[in-house]
Amino acid sequence: MRKIAVIGAGQMGSGIAQTVAQHGLHVMVSDIDLAHAEAGKAGIEKALTKLVGRGKIEADEAEAVLSRITPVADYAPMADADLIIEAATEREEIKQSIFESVGKVLSESAIMASNTSSIPITRMANYSPDAERFIGLHFFNPVPVMGLIEVIPGLATAQDTTERTTAFAEMLGKQVVLSQDEPGFVVNRILLPMINEAVFVLGQSTAGIVDIDKGCRLGLNHPMGPLELADFVGLDTCLDIINVLYRTTRDTKYRPAPLLVKYVEAGWLGRKTGRGFYDYSGDAPVATR
Ligand code: 3HC
């Protein structure tokens, strides 16, 4: 695979594009318009400048990485891409419209992958022109740092597609976990109930935010506590995923914590809105409960 396209220039799409370019491949990035795609590239430039400042990479290397990233206004230039990775908002109707549009320009051998965190791959494959070349490719945030990619073949995905996609993920220096197409795949199926339970613990005043996070950081050796991680992922995304688990399995153990629903309704979505379980308006995050 030599030419990659990423659809969606947000936190995940930008992280994927950066990682791909850092591994020597050319990557096109699109979003709802060229300005959003360019803003994604500007964010990558900022991340690379930080790495240069810390002496992690050389300035000319950062420049070379940036030169391999091309923001595009529409899907037409993706006609010669070998792999298209969709990393748009976690709403099925948005993803459907993307797959249907980009499917029209896709080459006969290109693979179409979705970075969905929880929507069934087998169902979304129907929105693409060829379900045999459709697959789940689930990255973790921050993409350039995290060592894992989940590869999720749908029911109709061809073995060759799974093998080529796995080889691509390994070429990015990541380890691969192969998951069946079940709700939440492997990691989110385990992570989201933990985050949700932490919000129940908070809602029942068993402990405050700082102690819940401290407990998991020190007691489990996790780099972040579940509530700071929820803020990092985005509380709306957490609620979307736990709701998918709840609706698809109809198992009440996945019912969303009422306090999580309230925070999302308040627009307190975590770091991206400046407030979630922590307030990010000052120099250091401050717990709100
Ligand atoms: N590009 C390249 N390297 C980067 C980077 C970037 N954009 N951002 C950070 N880094 C590097 C830094 O240079 C640093 O490298 P070093 O260890 O060699 O010095 C390293 O990453 C750590 O960065 P920082 O020192 O800035 O920050 P921390 O040490 O506090 O670590 C963290 C930050 C990596 C986010 C850590 O707290 C962590 O691992 N948290 C848990 C993250 C996690 O669980 N992610 C999964 C979320 S779930 C998910 O994504 C699935 C989705 O579907 C919901």
Side-chain angles (χ1 to χ4, degrees), residues 60-249:
D60 55 353
E61 191 187 335
E63 217 166 276
V65 170
L66 273 178
S67 73
R68 288 193 284 270
I69 301 172
T70 311
V72 295
D74 54 41
Y75 302 141
M78 298 183 185
D80 63 349
D82 302 305
L83 170 67
I84 290 175
I85 305 169
E86 170 275 321
T89 309
E90 194 70 355
R91 291 271 184 277
E92 190 162 344
E93 64 278 13
I94 294 176
K95 292 182 189 285
Q96 174 173 2
S97 134
I98 289 172
F99 296 134
E100 286 172 353
S101 306
V102 76
K104 292 188 183 125
V105 306
L106 204 64
S107 82
E108 295 266 300
S109 62
I111 291 175
M112 194 183 274
S114 175
N115 178 54
T116 180
S117 41
S118 57
I119 303 173
I121 301 303
T122 302
R123 190 163 76 214
M124 284 202 293
N126 291 320
Y127 310 142
S128 81
D130 182 1
E132 291 197 4
R133 286 184 282 125
F134 191 92
I135 196 160
L137 191 59
H138 184 217
F139 292 80
F140 292 81
N141 186 24
V143 180
V145 179
M146 303 300 281
L148 177 71
I149 296 181
E150 288 178 314
V151 170
I152 309 106
L155 214 51
T157 306
Q159 181 63 23
D160 171 66
T161 301
T162 305
E163 283 167 11
R164 285 164 64 204
T165 307
T166 301
F168 166 76
E170 288 173 346
M171 190 276 297
L172 295 181
K174 310 290 189 193
Q175 302 228 15
V176 169
V177 164
L178 194 68
S179 170
Q180 294 305 308
D181 184 22
E182 297 291 340
F185 315 135
V186 173
V187 176
N188 279 342
R189 163 87 178 272
I190 297 167
L191 172 65
L192 267 299
M194 184 187 78
I195 288 177
N196 196 42
E197 200 60 30
V199 186
F200 272 115
V201 170
L202 179 66
Q204 289 163 1
S205 304
T206 309
I209 291 170
V210 169
D211 280 350
I212 292 170
D213 279 341
K214 194 203 280 181
C216 292
R217 266 200 325 272
L218 301 181
L220 302 174
N221 227 4
H222 289 183
M224 283 178 167
L227 300 172
E228 25 171 2
L229 183 54
D231 275 2
F232 184 65
V233 168
L235 302 192
D236 51 342
T237 304
C238 290
L239 182 60
D240 281 345
I241 301 172
I242 199 79
N243 266 330
V244 166
L245 287 170
Y246 183 37
R247 285 197 205 109
T248 51
T249 62

